């Protein structure tokens, strides 16, 4: 800084920032690619003045001391332009001349992100890398009397059910009398959770849909994807691929005008309808699509004007209470599709989940319950909601499952959970642990973005700028200059890789436990943890 | 791995025949225990087909408590088989005061009860006695049901058989199931020994049921008082059998569709595909997993054998009209029926249930891909 610059409370130096850029004058060719690619303009071309001593022995009375200027890269320190550590500069540099490094001390930036009284908003999820899911072990290895199952060669039936199941006596009676039986879908237990068209870029959405279609039609894996709250492209609504899609309706009802009008023209029914009441990443908040991302296409699909912030209200405004909301919305959604499509609510993990579940258990139409834990991801939310609000998913699920067991309804209302599954890369292990705690299936979003599209976000404050439409990978941007970086074919291919390897890993987990004929839902005797308190809370074994 | 043998015969057979067959298969069990189920009894009990028979092990004090309980309920002893014991049991067999097999006359006020109510009450009495026994450790009750005797004890099957003089004629029966135990627990609880029993249904199994915990949780919430105990992961097999026949009104052919349902492709090709798809979904919590061979008996004396979905356990059925034997190994079958036509021995595979009906004319193979008998 210059000598006469004014220092304000929010004047930061490089040391105060979470990420610092190391740049090598030796290697830099001044191509300018890093400054061009930086999504937040954290680096800029800089002019540096440097003293040099250059003594000429033939000119003894001449001063050898002088000044030279050179050009290079300068990191900006204003809070609005802080480096987010995405590493795109390092990716594009032809000479490996630049690299972001994490500060060795907690940053001071965090105290200054609320300029103008606007608290920090971002994408991603809770900034907390660990979690109880990774600590759960599978200890009940079937050694006693068995020839072990062969994960590679034996037959495995790893599907789950989405839909209300009647108790056996009643169900079989209805079959014989041709009575109404709630619709049920047999699906793969790893579901792509709701990420809206709008939050995601067009190639990301297209890639996911292509990958899902391939998994279903070529690999025989009945994978399903939720639309999130943002409607569904009109051509998809009228295509046979709709059967792989779970249509989400949330409090903003974005896109539902289009969906309702498309019903008479639908060739197939959607897989299910998910009514979103809450999201684990930001309980109490509705969806939020910031104006940067509301372009013509998004505006058309959602039925809104362009370039405005699109906050969904935190509650379904037309309803008085969640009991009423759940009952009425489930009814009307069932009616819209002639009682052929399962309808279930999704809530954020909460200590009051049991009350919601109790209501559902008495509602014969409720097709399931999805619970999104505190580690769920989002495209945009206040940092405080992400970091501090919400309930861990494991104990919330366990309470709900054991409650169903005590009611004898554990096979009737499937529980689906999401939020932080595979946060540290252990997707199959986390998913299997949750199933054994009682989940019928799991929903993943962030993991899909990371594995299938190369998302850079992390729980240690890397990137996470999905909210401002500047995603450097083109995943969560609506700017064609950014999203053309993402090829939908590549996304589809990576999604297939991800699912196929998940399937192998799942078998590698269940085979040694002696399970293959059915998904081991509620097989809690297989689980253990070396944390006594967690073991007691989850009612699983304690091991050391 | 345990060893199983079951006999269904027109003429009553001695339980020692089954124990000797287990002895032939002794490489497959460790002589740590024996369980016996006798039904369609010969001897004097043949005259009392309708009177409930109590089987169990009692201390002197236990007998006194039993008598006062039963008298209070209004049950009168009609017949008993006394087993006189030598002073010292053989090595490995615990000393007991009394092995009880006693037929009762129903209390007067039960006479006019509907059959279902009577059956429910018999279970209640058995559970109450088991509970009393657990409190004081003075009685172990295996069954309380007409035309049914159960004996279980720790020790080598043949040794126990000789010690209890099971060769006596008044224990001969037309249906016998016996299991030679391979111990997997350090302290053996007799309630964890096969065969298991509920309301005329009995099963025994070898193998391990890896889906035990979710199945147990589901059964315990069915509102059926008899679905309790769960001392062994195999006990649920008999409860599922009872549930399939009693609660769902299905036949024995449906049992395998409940415990090891067909996969989707097969269901689509199945003549009852739609029906079975519903059954698979609604009974999903009753799907067993792991390697298992199940042998069971229904209240009407039908005997069957079913294998797990991958057929990971041995099991063979053979015999001739009038007598059929279900056995873990062919050598067990050879011991009991050396002169049968061995070419018609049948080893049920992953889709099969081998059934011998009460007339004992043939082995009926119910294959899971076949049409189910007319549903009603
Ligand atoms: S790491 Fe990302 S945000 Fe930081 S300077 Fe490089 S490109 Fe910009
Ligand atoms: S790479 Fe894109 S999607 Fe991933 S955290 Fe950054 S902005 Fe968000």
């Amino acid at each position: 800084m210059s000598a006469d610059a004014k220092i304000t409370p929010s004047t930061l130096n490089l040391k105060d920032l979470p990420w610092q850029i190391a740049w090598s004058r030796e290697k830099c060719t001044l191509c300018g690619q890093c400054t061009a690619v930086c999504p937040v303009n954290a680096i800029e071309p800089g002019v540096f003045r440097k003293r040099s001593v250059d003594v000429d022995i033939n000119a003894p009375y001449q001063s050898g001391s002088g000044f030279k200027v050179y050009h290079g890269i300068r990191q900006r320190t204003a809070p609005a332009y802080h480096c987010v550590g995405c590493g795109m500069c390092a990716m594009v540099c032809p000479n490996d001349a630049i690299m972001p490094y994490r500060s060795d001390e907690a940053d001071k930036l965090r105290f200054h992100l609320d300029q103008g009284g606007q608290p920090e908003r971002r994408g991603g999820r809770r900034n907390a890398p660990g979690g109880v899911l990774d600590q759960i072990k599978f200890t009940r290895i079937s050694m006693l009397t068995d020839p072990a199952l062969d994960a590679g060669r034996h037959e495995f039936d790893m599907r789950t059910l989405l839909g209300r199941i009647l108790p056996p006596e009643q169900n079989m009676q209805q079959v014989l009398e041709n009575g109404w039986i709630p619709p049920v879908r047999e699906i793969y237990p790893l579901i792509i959770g709701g990420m809206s068209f709008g939050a995601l870029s067009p190639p990301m959405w297209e890639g996911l849909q292509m990958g899902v279609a391939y998994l279903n039609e070529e690999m025989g894996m009945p994978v399903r994807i939720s639309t999130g709250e943002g409607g569904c492209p009109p051509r998809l609504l009228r295509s046979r691929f709709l059967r792989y899609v779970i249509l989400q309706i949330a409090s903003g009802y974005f896109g539902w005008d289009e969906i309702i009008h498309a019903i008479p023209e639908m060739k197939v029914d959607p897989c299910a309808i998910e009514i979103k009441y809450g999201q684990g990443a930001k309980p109490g908040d509705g969806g939020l699509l910031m104006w940067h991302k509301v372009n013509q296409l998004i505006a058309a699909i959602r039925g809104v004007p362009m370039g405005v912030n699109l906050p969904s209200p935190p509650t379904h405004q037309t309803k008085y209470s969640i009991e009423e909301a759940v009952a009425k919305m489930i009814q009307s959604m069932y009616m819209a599709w002639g009682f052929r499509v399962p309808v279930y609510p999704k809530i954020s993990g909460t200590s009051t989940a049991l009350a919601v579940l109790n209501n559902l258990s008495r509602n014969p139409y409720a097709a399931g319950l999805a619970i999104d834990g505190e580690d769920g991801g989002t495209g945009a939310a206040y940092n405080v909601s992400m970091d501090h609000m919400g309930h861990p998913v494991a104990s919330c699920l366990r309470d709900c499952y054991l409650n169903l067991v005590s009611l004898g309804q554990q096979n009737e209302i499937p529980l689906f959970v999401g939020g932080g599954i595979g946060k540290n890369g252990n997707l199959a292990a986390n998913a299997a642990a949750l199933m054994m705690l009682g989940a019928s299936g799991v929903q993943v979003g962030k993991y899909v973005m990371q594995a299938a599209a190369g998302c850079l976000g992390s729980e240690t404050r890397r990137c996470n700028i999905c909210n401002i439409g500047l995603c450097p990978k083109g995943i969560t941007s609506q700017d064609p200059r950014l999203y053309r970086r993402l090829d939908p074919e590549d996304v589809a291919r990576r999604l297939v890789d991800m699912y196929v390897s998940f399937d192998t890993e799942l078998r590698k987990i269940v085979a040694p436990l002696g399970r293959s004929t059915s998904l081991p839902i509620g097989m809690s005797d297989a689980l253990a943890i070396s944390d006594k308190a967690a073991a007691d809370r989850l009612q699983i074994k304690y091991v050391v | 791995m345990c060893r199983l043998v079951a006999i269904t015969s027109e003429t009553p057979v001695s339980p020692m025949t089954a124990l000797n067959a287990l002895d032939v298969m002794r490489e497959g069990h460790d002589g740590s225990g024996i369980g016996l189920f006798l039904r369609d009894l010969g001897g004097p009990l043949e005259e009392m087909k309708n009177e409930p028979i109590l089987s169990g092990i009692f201390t002197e004090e236990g007998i006194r408590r039993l008598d006062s309980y039963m008298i209070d309920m209004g049950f009168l002893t009609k017949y008993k088989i006394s087993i006189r014991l030598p002073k010292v049991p053989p090595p490995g067999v615990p000393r007991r005061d009394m092995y009880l097999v006693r037929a009762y006359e129903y209390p007067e006020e039960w006479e006019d009860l509907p059959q279902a109510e009577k059956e429910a009450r018999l279970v209640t009495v058995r559970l109450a006695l088991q509970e009393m026994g657990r409190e004081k450790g003075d009685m172990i009750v295996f069954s309380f049901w007409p035309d049914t005797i159960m004996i279980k004890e720790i020790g080598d099957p043949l040794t126990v058989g000789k010690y209890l003089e099971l060769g006596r004629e008044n224990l001969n029966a037309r249906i016998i199931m016996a299991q030679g135990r391979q111990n997997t627990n350090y302290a053996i609880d007799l309630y964890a020994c096969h065969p298991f029993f509920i309301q005329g249904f009995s099963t025994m199994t070898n193998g391990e049921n890896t889906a035990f915990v979710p199945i147990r949780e589901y059964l315990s919430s069915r509102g059926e008082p008899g679905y309790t105990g769960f001392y062994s992961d195999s006990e649920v097999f008999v409860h599922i059998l009872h549930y399939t026949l009693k609660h769902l009104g299905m036949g024995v052919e449906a049992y395998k569709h409940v415990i090891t349902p067909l996969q989707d492709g097969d269901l689509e090709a199945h003549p009852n595909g739609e029906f079975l798809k519903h059954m698979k979904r609604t009974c999903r919590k009753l799907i067993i997993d792991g390697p298992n061979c199940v042998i069971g008996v229904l209240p009407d004396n039908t005997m069957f054998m079913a294998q797990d979905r991958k057929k990971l356990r041995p099991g063979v059925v053979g015999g001739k009209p009038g007598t059929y034997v279900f056995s873990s190994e062919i050598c067990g079958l050879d011991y009991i029926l050396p002169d049968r036509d061995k070419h018609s021995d049948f080893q049920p595979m992953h889709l099969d249930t081998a059934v011998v009906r009460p007339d004992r004319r043939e082995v009926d193979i119910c294959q899971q891909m076949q049409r189910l008998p007319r549903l009603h």
Side-chain angles (χ1 to χ4, degrees), chain A residues 191-214:
Chain A
I191 298 169
I192 303 178
M195 295 180 286
S196 69
F197 190 96
L200 296 185
S201 65
M204 182 63 186
W205 233 72
E206 192 186 347
L208 293 180
Q209 295 292 346
M210 282 199 296
V212 166
Y214 189 90

Side-chain angles (χ1 to χ4, degrees), chain B residues 113-165:
Chain B
L113 290 179
Q115 187 60 20
E117 173 64 20
K118 246 191 215 173
E119 295 184 355
R121 287 198 186 186
L122 285 177
V123 175
T124 319
V125 173
R126 171 170 62 87
L127 295 178
L129 289 171
Q130 286 176 340
E131 188 50 42
M132 285 167 63
R134 251 190 302 271
E135 274 165 23
K136 296 252 166 77
D138 56 359
M139 41 176 120
I140 302 172
V141 176
F142 301 125
S143 59
F144 184 44
W145 198 258
D147 198 19
T148 303
I149 296 174
M150 291 187 85
I151 297 167
K152 299 180 186 181
E153 189 48 285
I154 296 164
D156 175 67
L158 204 52
T159 315
V160 171
K162 286 181 185 154
Y163 165 61
L164 298 181
E165 294 175 8

Side-chain angles (χ1 to χ4, degrees), chain B residues 186-243:
Chain B
Y186 289 99
I188 301 177
D189 188 322
L190 284 183
Y191 283 129
C193 292
H194 306 225
F196 300 101
F197 179 80
I198 180 172
Q199 289 196 333
F201 296 87
S202 182
T203 63
M204 58 181 180
T205 322
N206 72 24
E208 177 190 18
N209 177 14
T210 47
F212 171 57
V213 167
I215 296 177
R216 179 188 65 193
E217 282 171 347
Y218 194 66
L219 287 167
S220 337
S221 60
R222 291 308 90 200
E224 177 75 57
Y227 298 167
T228 176
F230 305 112
Y231 291 92
S232 157
D233 62 3
S234 302
E235 197 164 356
V236 300
F237 287 93
V238 75
H239 297 150
I240 301 174
L241 179 65
H242 178 270
Y243 189 76

Side-chain angles (χ1 to χ4, degrees), chain A residues 177-260:
Chain A
E177 291 168 3
N178 279 323
W180 183 72
I181 297 173
V184 174
R185 309 285 194 234
E186 280 191 40
I187 62 172
Y188 198 72
L190 182 67
I191 298 169
I192 303 178
M195 295 180 286
S196 69
F197 190 96
L200 296 185
S201 65
M204 182 63 186
W205 233 72
E206 192 186 347
L208 293 180
Q209 295 292 346
M210 282 199 296
V212 166
Y214 189 90
L215 285 163
N216 276 279
E217 302 190 355
E218 298 296 324
M219 307 299 293
M221 295 170 79
V223 174
R224 298 294 179 263
I225 178 169
S226 165
T227 57
E229 186 198 14
C232 188
R235 274 178 59 200
L236 181 54
L237 285 173
R238 289 165 181 82
S239 77
R240 68 188 159 91
F241 303 110
L242 184 64
R243 68 162 68 90
Y244 311 138
V245 175
I246 296 170
L247 295 173
Q248 190 186 83
I249 182 166
S251 53
Y253 307 129
F254 292 129
W256 273 79
D257 199 36
E258 178 70 44
I259 293 175
I260 297 293

Side-chain angles (χ1 to χ4, degrees), chain A residues 140 142 145 155 408 514 516, chain B residues 208 210 222 264 309-310 313:
Chain A
R140 195 200 172 285
S142 186
T145 56
E155 162 198 272
S516 61
Chain B
E208 177 190 18
T210 47
R222 291 308 90 200
D264 297 353
R309 175 73 193 164
K310 301 193 170 54
R313 281 287 176 265

